[in-house]
Amino acid sequence: MNAFSYLDLLNLLGPETILVLTSLAALFVDLGALRDQPLPRRWLAGGGVTALGGLLAILWLTNVTAQANLAHGILVVDPLTQLVKVVLVAMLLFTVALSLRAEFTEHVGEYFCLLLLATVGMMFLVSSEDVLTIFVALELTSLSLYILTAFNKRSLVSAEAGLKYFLFGGVAAAFTLFGLSLIYGLAGSTNLREIATNLAGKGTDPLLMVALIMVVMGFGFKIAAVPFHLWAPDAYQGAPTPAAALIASGSKVASFFVFAKVMALGFAGIEGNGAWRQFAPGWVPVLATLAVASMLLGNLAAIAQSSVKRLLAYSAIAHAGYMLLGLLAMSNPHRRADGMAALVYYITTYGLTTIGAFGVVQIVERTGGDSLENFAGFSRRAPLVAVCLMVFMLSLAGIPPLAGFFGKFYLFTAAAGAEPGNLGLLWLVIFAIAMSAVSLYYYLQVLKRAFVAAPAEAAIAPVVSFMERLTLALLALAVVVLGALPAWLLGPIADAIKAAGF
Amino acid sequence: MHTGFLLLALLTLASAGAAMCLRNLVHCALCVAISFVSLAALFLTLDAEFVGFAQILVYVGAVAILIVIAILLTRDISGHGQSLVFKPWTLGVGVGALVAGSLVSAVTSSAFTHRELPPAPAATVRQLGESLMTTYVVPLEIIGLLLTAALLGAVLLARRENEGGGRS
């Protein structure tokens, strides 16, 4: 056991500490000082406190450079984790900005407190290479998100979504824990790198494969990959829209990042082979199967949806399939950095785009609902928001020069080049490109309603607050700029990965 | 030792199964308590005294009592006596058997189970406490936050909303 200093710990966990204190502050301000104030003012105050804490955390993350690996990977702080944490807090801030005009609950303090706790869970998740901490952080994130999903107590759909999410999540967590304890039993360590060292040369033992599949099940649930996706459409549809935005963005970023670490570091040595006609057992063929199923089912089911929130959920499932390609690209230890860079770029830009899309859906919902019909003639009722919607949808579809295109481009080239010389995963990349073409159909369906279809007789112009306009415009701008100048984000990511020695 | 393990494992599984299938909620709660006790006994046979006693104190002592109180306070749900057995039950049993079968076959055919086991470490409560406050202090803190979130969520979801705005 190395010498342990709580002061060092506090220094390393500065951003997390700030956010936890902010969550308590949001709770106390709302329950104490603002108890009898009108609801809009309480939303504004709670959001203000949360945003302040988030900004402080970002300031800390960008200015305090720290690099440490505490107690065998229990806490890992390096430039890469700091960068991903900045992304996570930024996503929290955008979610908060979209929540300010919410009307679904009176429990403002609790809402912001849980948003912050979920984000803190994600940040812990990102900065750990120890399965124990990973599991506990995963539970903190999930539990906060279950409650946020069921937050709208006036809506039965929200309660049902929360319960469904909770039950699926509970079973998935049980499988993860079972798998992780098997791995601990087999490898005798909870540290990812030590697990890989201890399991090296043991080959593909049946018990190890069972453990691997159980771990993949748990993470597959978090990232909503087929066949563990069943909760996603209901949760996205039933959850209050800003909460759904956080589930679709921040939670995905953190889960994918840690999933990639667990697979690439912890299961290094039992990759197997996913190349066409050369299958060998390991995690690569397992993830390749999940990727194919997710892309196929996500894209095809999205076509049949009439609720745009459900459409976004199925699109999220399809995108989880694309992102799994990034994980597959990391199966070759020499090309790991490329795969990681492509994955972080993709999840960041995807998260920003999805928050924007949910923001637009929230505005449309005010005019009656989130079905495709409600989008009819939206461009004439709210031109600026409709333009933002166009940017988000086209980016999700992967149209150049938007961020979604470059994300897919880097991801696919990383996956195709994972095995230099034989282009082993090319079949998967070709499939992914074909599926992206399919996805264009349903994204354009939404845009067609918004820009071409005539508005319904009784259609009313939605009320859009200044904050929402600003947030959506910022997000759309980010999607355009990161697409036109991808080096702005890719450069720091590559530097951070190099500095982290990944 | 071996028969003891088998008996305790059977008791745990049977009482857990009964807790899911019985119609009377109070009986279910009792079965859950039995399941907790036999789990604690399993821990004790593994020489994990602290975990065993903590299991009895926390789960049998607090959680089981809490479940009974919750049933008492929400009287209206205990009256219906609806069984929650999923139909067609063959599907559930089939999937369960499949998972159990693959687990058993993996354990029996694994090379890992045929190796020499290291001697069981005798961890005292003091050692447990020390590593919780040093090596594992970060997970401990995260669990603290987890419980805070759970508490908030429980209060929030369970409380009765008053219609028409304003706080009670």
Side-chain angles (χ1 to χ4, degrees), chain A residues 1 4 6 9 30-31 42 74 106-107 110 113 124 132 136 139-140 143 147 151 153 185-186 205-207 210, chain B residues 103 106-107 109-112 115 133-137 142-143 146 149-150 152-153 156-157 159 161 165-167:
Chain A
M1 201 185 304
F4 211 87
Y6 290 116
L9 196 65
D30 186 58
L31 292 180
R42 285 172 47 206
I74 292 269
E106 293 159 16
H107 305 292
E110 290 92 329
C113 183
F124 275 119
L132 185 75
V136 181
E139 283 306 284
L140 173 59
L143 197 84
I147 305 165
F151 218 92
K153 289 179 69 181
L186 298 179
D205 191 83
L207 204 53
V210 167
Chain B
L103 266 179
V107 169
S109 63
S110 168
F112 282 98
R115 62 178 173 180
M133 289 314 292
T134 53
T135 317
Y136 295 105
V137 70
I142 301 176
I143 288 183
L146 177 79
L152 259 179
L156 197 84
L157 295 181
R159 75 178 272 172
E161 299 285 320
R167 267 165 192 272

Side-chain angles (χ1 to χ4, degrees), chain A residues 118-134:
Chain A
T119 312
V120 171
M122 293 169 203
M123 290 164 79
F124 275 119
L125 198 54
V126 163
S127 67
S128 181
E129 287 179 7
D130 183 279
V131 290
L132 185 75
T133 320
I134 288 175

Side-chain angles (χ1 to χ4, degrees), chain A residues 171-186:
Chain A
V171 175
F175 272 108
T176 320
L177 193 59
F178 206 152
L180 292 179
S181 22
L182 278 178
I183 286 169
Y184 175 60
L186 298 179

Side-chain angles (χ1 to χ4, degrees), chain A residues 144-471:
Chain A
S144 312
L145 292 177
Y146 303 149
I147 305 165
L148 283 172
T149 306
F151 218 92
N152 186 353
K153 289 179 69 181
R154 290 170 208 152
S155 140
L156 264 181
V157 188
S158 175
E160 188 196 327
L163 187 65
K164 220 171 212 173
Y165 192 14
F166 173 64
L167 287 179
F168 273 106
V171 175
F175 272 108
T176 320
L177 193 59
F178 206 152
L180 292 179
S181 22
L182 278 178
I183 286 169
Y184 175 60
L186 298 179
S189 172
T190 53
N191 176 282
L192 289 180
R193 291 173 202 265
E194 282 173 21
I195 288 174
T197 328
N198 295 357
L199 289 179
K202 296 280 165 59
T204 49
D205 191 83
L207 204 53
L208 188 59
M209 287 296 118
V210 167
L212 167 70
I213 287 174
M214 282 179 165
V215 173
V216 169
M217 277 167 97
F219 283 106
F221 160 81
K222 278 306 291 176
I223 61 171
V226 175
F228 317 112
H229 67 287
L230 290 163
W231 59 275
D234 291 302
Y236 281 36
Q237 191 184 21
T241 312
L246 191 68
I247 295 174
S249 59
S251 157
K252 253 206 168 142
V253 171
S255 311
F256 256 105
F257 185 75
V258 76
F259 191 18
K261 266 190 169 179
V262 169
M263 288 295 139
L265 299 181
F267 290 110
I270 48 164
E271 282 91 358
N273 198 335
W276 191 247
R277 287 164 188 263
Q278 296 170 38
F279 292 108
W283 59 264
V284 169
V286 174
L287 292 193
T289 318
L290 289 192
V292 169
S294 304
M295 287 188 277
L296 193 68
L297 193 129
N299 280 318
L300 294 186
I303 295 175
Q305 301 306 316
S306 59
S307 149
V308 174
K309 275 174 150 182
R310 285 184 88 84
L311 186 146
L312 283 174
Y314 281 106
S315 122
I317 293 168
H319 279 274
Y322 305 138
M323 293 178 211
L324 282 171
L325 258 65
L327 260 71
L328 294 173
M330 293 165 71
S331 59
N332 181 347
H334 306 293
R335 294 301 186 91
R336 210 189 268 159
D338 289 350
M340 194 60 162
L343 182 69
V344 173
Y345 180 82
Y346 195 94
I347 47 180
T348 306
T349 50
Y350 170 77
L352 294 176
T353 319
T354 316
I355 298 181
F358 273 104
V360 177
V361 171
Q362 175 173 259
I363 290 167
V364 175
E365 264 183 327
R366 275 183 214 141
T367 64
D370 72 324
S371 78
L372 278 172
E373 305 313 317
N374 294 96
F375 279 76
F378 188 62
S379 66
R380 265 150 278 175
R381 287 181 280 151
L384 176 80
V385 182
V387 169
C388 293
L389 176 73
M390 184 167 76
V391 171
F392 299 139
M393 287 295 167
L394 291 182
S395 174
L396 285 176
I399 302 291
L402 300 170
F405 168 76
F406 285 99
K408 280 206 177 89
F409 177 75
Y410 292 127
L411 211 55
F412 293 170
T413 42
E419 302 288 337
N422 72 359
L423 294 177
L425 293 168
L426 194 64
W427 65 275
L428 200 59
V429 173
I430 292 173
F431 184 76
I433 293 172
M435 278 297 143
S436 307
V438 172
S439 75
L440 194 57
Y441 175 77
Y442 56 83
Y443 293 124
L444 287 182
Q445 278 286 329
V446 178
L447 290 183
K448 186 183 134 201
R449 296 290 149 87
F451 282 88
V452 181
E457 292 280 317
I460 40 165
V463 193
V464 189
S465 70
F466 170 72
M467 203 60 200
E468 281 169 339
R469 268 179 223 277
L470 184 71
T471 314

